[in-house]
Amino acid sequence: QENEHFFIQSVAAAALGKSSNNIDEAHKSQKESMINELKKIVNGKSTFQNIVAKGAIDGLKEFSKDDDADLLIDIANFLIEKTSDNNDYYIRASATAALGKFLINDNKETRLDKDKSNSVKKMNQQGLDGLIKVSQDKRRRIKITACSSLADTDAKTSTLEPRLIHSIKFLVDVAEHDLDG
């Protein structure tokens, strides 16, 4: 019965993200408060297959279309951190799946504050590098999720920068040589 509560908490955390991403700029502190709450849930008590944390990551993913560059960078960096080996497998898989949504493409970049352009590019590079690193993981599901995240339709750019070319070459190499292709 306790596991049922975890599933309810997971859905509630995802709904928190969905409902909070429509908060306007005048109430930015409320949005930041919701993001911090979702991060606390991810970092909180371990549950059955970390289902509650996965719901919170799904909630954070809802902010990927936000126009606030600082907010995008903050969440992306958090997700990059959660893809590392020292995190639980289920958290890593969820963070890896969500990270592709935060890669900045040309359409997103035109909406963002130009003063933060260097920070956005740095985060984008770290995100691409992080996904490429994770796609070499020992765990099959993590590798597949990283490849899917790199190919996410929300992450596609219209300019071929060196890191993007590298990620495409990497995906081709995985498809040709990896046992799980």
Side-chain angles (χ1 to χ4, degrees):
Q1 186 175 11
E2 188 174 293
N3 287 345
E4 290 176 20
H5 296 297
F6 294 148
F7 286 99
I8 293 168
Q9 291 172 11
S10 176
V11 171
L16 184 65
K18 280 188 180 203
S19 65
S20 299
N21 74 357
N22 293 324
I23 297 173
D24 61 11
E25 279 300 307
H27 299 95
K28 184 179 177 178
S29 64
Q30 286 178 327
K31 190 183 287 190
E32 290 171 349
S33 175
M34 294 302 152
I35 290 168
N36 288 333
E37 189 61 36
L38 290 169
K39 287 180 181 179
K40 282 182 196 172
I41 292 170
V42 173
N43 291 328
K45 185 178 86 170
S46 184
T47 61
F48 172 72
Q49 294 184 350
N50 269 317
I51 194 75
V52 178
K54 289 178 1 182
I57 291 171
D58 286 344
L60 288 170
K61 186 169 44 175
E62 293 295 325
F63 291 95
S64 66
K65 292 183 175 34
D66 200 280
D67 294 339
D68 186 335
D70 290 330
L71 184 136
L72 292 173
I73 291 167
D74 178 54
I75 295 172
N77 287 334
F78 178 78
L79 293 172
I80 290 167
E81 174 190 318
K82 293 301 166 190
T83 64
S84 71
D85 288 338
N86 59 345
N87 290 289
D88 172 77
Y89 168 78
Y90 295 102
I91 291 175
R92 291 181 66 219
S94 293
T96 301
L99 186 53
K101 298 277 184 209
F102 288 87
L103 296 179
I104 306 298
N105 61 32
D106 290 341
N107 294 334
K108 280 186 192 174
E109 196 164 355
T110 57
R111 294 190 334 249
L112 300 176
D113 184 355
K114 295 297 177 199
D115 294 335
K116 304 208 173 28
S117 179
N118 287 336
S119 298
V120 168
K121 285 180 182 170
K122 180 180 176 188
M123 180 274 301
N124 215 33
Q125 291 171 352
Q126 289 173 335
L128 281 170
D129 290 345
L131 285 172
I132 289 171
K133 180 181 178 211
V134 173
S135 63
Q136 298 169 17
D137 198 86
K138 292 177 254 172
R139 307 284 302 257
R140 182 178 182 270
R141 179 174 172 214
I142 301 280
K143 288 182 350 183
I144 291 169
T145 303
C147 290
S148 295
S149 197
L150 279 168
D152 191 302
T153 55
D154 290 336
K156 290 190 174 143
T157 62
S158 60
T159 57
L160 290 175
E161 57 185 57
R163 293 213 192 264
L164 182 62
I165 292 170
H166 177 67
S167 69
I168 291 169
K169 287 179 181 177
F170 181 80
L171 288 172
V172 169
D173 187 58
V174 167
E176 290 177 348
H177 300 99
D178 194 279
L179 293 176
D180 295 326

